[in-house]
Amino acid sequence: MEKEEAKRLFKKLKIRTLLDLALILPATYEDRRLSQELIPSKEHVLQVKVISTRNSGGKLYATLYMTAFNQQIDAIFFKATAYHLKTFAVGANLVVSGRVTTFKGNLQLTQPKSISQYGVVIPKYRVKVIKESQMRALIQKYLNKNLLLKEGLTDKEADTLLKLHFPDRYNFEISKEGLSDEITQILKFIESFNHIKKLKSKKEFYPAISRLDNDPGDFISSLPFELTSDQWRAISDIRKDLLQTDRAAKRVIIGDVGSGKTIVILASAVMAKGKGAVLMAPTSILCKQIYEEALKFLPKDMKIALVMQGSMEGDYRNADFVIGTHALLYLDDLPKASLVMVDEQHRFGTNQRAMLEAMVSKGEKRPHYLQFSATPIPRTQAMMESEMIDVSLIEHTPFEKLIHTEVIGKKDFKRLLAHIESELKQNHQILIVYPLVESSEEIPYQSIDEARGFWEKRYDGVYVTHGKDKNKEKVLQEFRDKGKILLATTVIEVGISLPQLTTIVIVGAERLGLATLHQLRGRVGRNGLESRCFLYTNKPDSKRLAQFAKTTNGFDIAKLDLKYRASGDILDGTIQSGQKFKWLDLAEDEHIIEEAKRRIRYIESN
Ligand code: ADP
Ligand code: MG
């Protein structure tokens, strides 16, 4: 096979490394070794001589002599073609494959096939995008022990892969029960080893624009609260990053809603004091919140500016710290900055994030780059991703929120109404999340359109918004100031703070991923008010929902999510999830990932 042809096939298979190829294992094997014994109702490969034939009613009967067993067997073809007549002519010596059955006490072969390749076990890859023969040719050409050892596998690991691809050569018996535990463990290892190596190869280094060495100590001690230990750790990770000049930081800080990421953002801005820091956040409400916090907490000699579509505060051209929405991307005189931060990074496209970074870069040099994410990922995933981008986790929130979660159904509706009444009497607010705006046949729950009449008739201060609502932010702001009940779709995910919100009802909760449910539930109890989350469902015995109801820690929920589906749908771009592993189980195999990381580090240091 030509190199060019191989390249084309690799592309079709969407693979990039030798181990990618090696990990495409045969889906099954066709055993074409000559049968050693006759076992009824099993597939056989037999060396035969055609003794006699009889042609009747379109059928062909042939009596075959089985050399190995010194015995005859009848073969039947239900629709005899010219091909059959020619192949199974009296006197022909053949090797046939087919199922042996017993018919009226006699052995019989039903529609056997004449085969030319026998005495071998043929792996069947069944990859669909390329032909079986092409797949085999790739494996033949590229898979060998030397290359596998060069990739960093041990003898045993390399042999395991080779055995699975070339069972004959290695005298390897494929068990009908599937792969042994030992082999599965090895495959898990190779899979994570390969994945981590690939992530690592994506890591890019650029020199930093500046070393940012302003001490955030005074700022931290001026705060009206103590930092949590996770906040400390994130800040000190960042401090180490920003002191580098040969390497611009690339770090993601992941912490639940309410885990106190804004303080980490502000501390970073303090470290960059005098050298230019920019923060992009997804909504103007959020920008304003951060701006207000910045005015309140940052040293008074820091110049802070706010940039939003149609409204500005301060002078961004001369600020130490510019906070803005994506309106930042449309400025043509945004000064160079040595620190770029993106809050709620997953709400931006990869392009938008790259654009901001490029806008404030200087030639080869890049600003230090910090991303903040409110979507917890499982520890195991963070362990792997940290090979590509540095990761700081803020796993604990400053105060435990008091949120009681309950799975409810139709029969609980009266009780729900009573609860809503009593909350409204205390001036608390209610959020009800519906699956859709308009009604749909496919979804067995009410839509906003169907439900709003019910609420509007009963209560004042009912507000409605949804994803495509152009006035979403205005509605949310008005609701925050004077609303009672907000009807919305899941878009309410956007990070705005509704301090009086104490109850969320999620209609059709079983239809949503745990990550989304968690984001939604994070809307209530933001001011420490005791709160409730009702998961309204037609399937009240859902185990997944029951488990979700028991914890409020986002990292625990990410792990639960893993248990209930292959992987999360969570972040885009830089941190990829939804990564499907064939053998590796992110929920269980932490030690294997650790071992793979250790091996990679060992190889690099030698
Ligand atoms: P996030 O951005 O992670 O969702 P915020 O930064 O908005 O969370 O913080 C939520 C609230 O917690 C804010 O009112 C903030 O002032 C407060 N906060 C942050 N850190 C602490 C802390 N260590 N102790 C007490 N309160 C804190
Ligand atoms: Mg935040």
Side-chain angles (χ1 to χ4, degrees), residues 441-565:
E441 294 283 309
E442 270 135 63
I443 296 178
Y445 294 100
Q446 281 196 326
S447 62
I448 291 186
D449 283 352
E450 288 166 301
R452 72 187 289 173
F454 174 86
W455 299 107
E456 281 169 346
K457 210 165 73 196
R458 232 163 256 240
Y459 302 102
D460 296 328
V462 175
Y463 286 75
V464 176
T465 188
H466 53 84
K468 289 192 190 106
D469 183 0
K470 287 223 170 68
N471 295 321
K472 186 169 63 188
E473 290 207 12
K474 223 176 111 217
V475 175
L476 287 174
Q477 251 156 338
E478 247 179 72
F479 171 75
R480 178 182 61 191
D481 297 338
K482 52 187 195 214
K484 291 199 178 308
I485 299 181
L486 177 64
L487 312 181
T489 53
T490 51
V491 293
I492 198 76
E493 253 191 87
V494 190
I496 74 140
S497 180
L498 300 168
Q500 287 305 108
L501 198 67
T502 55
T503 297
I504 179 168
V505 183
I506 303 169
V507 178
E510 85 286 357
R511 302 178 61 256
L512 298 174
L514 294 186
T516 307
L517 288 177
H518 179 63
Q519 294 283 337
L520 289 170
R521 183 171 59 179
R523 298 293 114 218
V524 300
R526 295 206 78 170
N527 256 19
L529 290 174
E530 186 168 353
S531 301
R532 281 181 193 276
C533 168
F534 294 97
L535 306 172
Y536 186 91
T537 172
N538 297 334
K539 296 180 180 143
D541 49 359
S542 155
K543 263 215 191 93
R544 196 172 66 104
L545 293 183
Q547 295 227 32
F548 173 80
K550 279 194 217 145
T551 176
T552 54
N553 182 300
F555 290 89
D556 292 342
I557 286 161
K559 199 166 171 191
L560 263 187
D561 211 17
L562 272 184
K563 246 179 75 179
Y564 285 101
R565 58 176 171 163

Side-chain angles (χ1 to χ4, degrees), residues 59-309:
K59 291 182 192 142
L60 174 68
Y61 298 90
T63 303
L64 310 174
Y65 172 73
M66 299 180 285
T67 335
F69 303 101
N70 194 15
Q71 191 182 334
Q72 292 190 353
I73 189 165
D74 291 325
I76 175 168
F77 303 89
F78 297 111
K79 250 198 195 135
T81 62
Y83 164 79
H84 288 124
L85 295 175
K86 192 171 153 217
T87 312
F88 290 84
V90 173
N93 285 301
L94 307 166
V95 174
V96 295
S97 75
R99 183 179 291 271
V100 171
T101 53
T102 37
F103 182 68
K104 292 187 181 160
N106 290 323
L107 289 180
Q108 182 175 293
L109 261 174
T110 312
Q111 316 235 82
K113 273 201 276 284
S114 160
I115 56 176
S116 54
Q117 197 189 10
Y118 61 91
V120 289
V121 176
I122 304 175
K124 295 276 172 188
Y125 291 93
R126 309 231 167 106
V127 286
K128 294 203 179 92
V129 287
I130 69 173
K131 283 196 211 124
E132 204 57 47
S133 57
Q134 293 174 316
M135 184 65 208
R136 271 205 296 274
L138 284 179
I139 295 283
Q140 294 278 357
K141 185 174 162 88
Y142 289 101
L143 221 56
N144 63 56
K145 184 120 172 210
N146 256 340
L147 287 179
L148 290 173
L149 294 179
K150 254 195 204 149
E151 289 291 310
L153 299 188
T154 61
D155 241 42
K156 184 163 192 179
E157 289 157 359
D159 282 345
T160 301
L161 286 173
L162 291 169
K163 264 193 239 176
L164 293 166
H165 287 286
F166 306 107
D168 280 345
R169 208 191 287 166
Y170 284 78
N171 245 332
F172 174 62
E173 271 312 309
I174 314 297
S175 155
K176 301 272 174 305
E177 277 83 63
L179 300 178
S180 70
D181 264 5
E182 194 191 0
I183 292 180
T184 312
Q185 289 302 105
I186 290 175
L187 293 175
K188 280 169 183 259
F189 176 86
I190 299 172
E191 196 174 32
S192 72
F193 180 76
N194 182 39
H195 179 71
I196 294 169
K197 269 204 341 186
K198 282 197 287 185
L199 285 180
K200 198 155 193 148
S201 71
K202 281 195 209 160
K203 195 166 195 165
E204 295 174 327
F205 297 103
Y206 296 97
I209 293 177
S210 286
R211 178 170 191 267
L212 306 179
D213 55 2
N214 195 41
D215 187 345
D218 287 346
F219 159 74
I220 292 169
S221 45
S222 76
L223 293 173
F225 43 71
E226 293 283 319
L227 293 185
T228 65
S229 56
D230 287 349
Q231 284 172 319
W232 269 117
R233 196 149 21 88
I235 290 172
S236 80
D237 288 346
I238 292 169
R239 175 101 168 121
K240 273 183 224 135
D241 287 352
L242 303 195
L243 288 172
Q244 309 277 338
T245 45
D246 52 337
R247 247 185 80 182
K250 207 161 188 91
R251 178 175 295 278
V252 59
I253 295 91
I254 306 175
D256 246 328
V257 172
S259 61
K261 293 185 293 298
T262 311
I263 291 301
V264 178
I265 291 173
L266 297 184
S268 308
V270 172
M271 293 181 221
K273 189 176 159 193
K275 308 251 175 75
V278 179
L279 169 73
M280 182 163 74
T283 66
S284 43
I285 298 183
L286 194 56
C287 281
K288 266 189 222 150
Q289 271 175 22
I290 298 170
Y291 179 65
E292 273 155 28
E293 250 176 279
L295 288 179
K296 194 160 122 199
F297 294 128
L298 287 181
K300 295 298 164 247
D301 61 343
M302 270 182 79
K303 282 178 270 168
I304 307 160
L306 179 64
V307 174
M308 301 187 305
Q309 200 189 357

Side-chain angles (χ1 to χ4, degrees), residues 351-381:
N351 287 347
Q352 287 175 307
R353 286 178 280 162
M355 204 167 143
L356 180 64
E357 195 187 6
M359 277 173 79
V360 297
S361 293
K362 251 187 206 159
E364 256 294 279
K365 294 185 174 176
R366 296 279 176 102
H368 293 291
Y369 187 30
L370 305 175
Q371 306 186 55
F372 293 80
S373 162
T375 312
I377 59 173
R379 246 181 73 81
T380 42
Q381 196 184 333

